[in-house]
Amino acid sequence: MFEPTVIIAGAALVGLTIVATALLRAWHGWLALKRQELERHHGAETQEAGSPMGAARIELADLKERIKKLEAIASGVDL
């Protein structure tokens, strides 16, 4: 009726189909997870991001303060 070779080939084909389907579902799940992470990160970034000019001013003021401290150390003045 059926030769063993045909049965083995059919079983291998069914097994390969099952494994490929499982891997494809896992891949789609992983992509959905990464998409959610990107959306969450982008949403948090837009809420927390204030004015870039304000951050630049704070950083510039911090750098100026560090320069003053270094100049004081170089001239031997205690702070």
Side-chain angles (χ1 to χ4, degrees), residues 6-77:
V6 175
I7 294 173
I8 292 172
L13 186 61
V14 169
L16 181 64
T17 303
I18 290 171
V19 168
T21 303
L23 288 174
L24 185 62
R25 292 184 96 193
W27 175 252
H28 283 291
W30 185 81
L31 287 177
L33 175 68
K34 291 299 175 182
R35 192 173 295 121
Q36 285 177 353
E37 287 178 359
L38 286 173
E39 288 173 359
R40 191 176 326 129
H41 178 68
H42 179 67
E45 188 176 273
T46 56
Q47 291 174 356
E48 291 178 6
S51 171
M53 288 297 293
R57 287 183 189 144
I58 291 172
E59 188 174 339
L60 188 59
D62 185 43
L63 290 174
K64 286 181 180 179
E65 183 180 336
R66 287 183 183 183
I67 290 173
K68 286 181 184 179
K69 287 181 180 179
L70 289 174
E71 288 175 346
I73 291 171
S75 65
V77 177

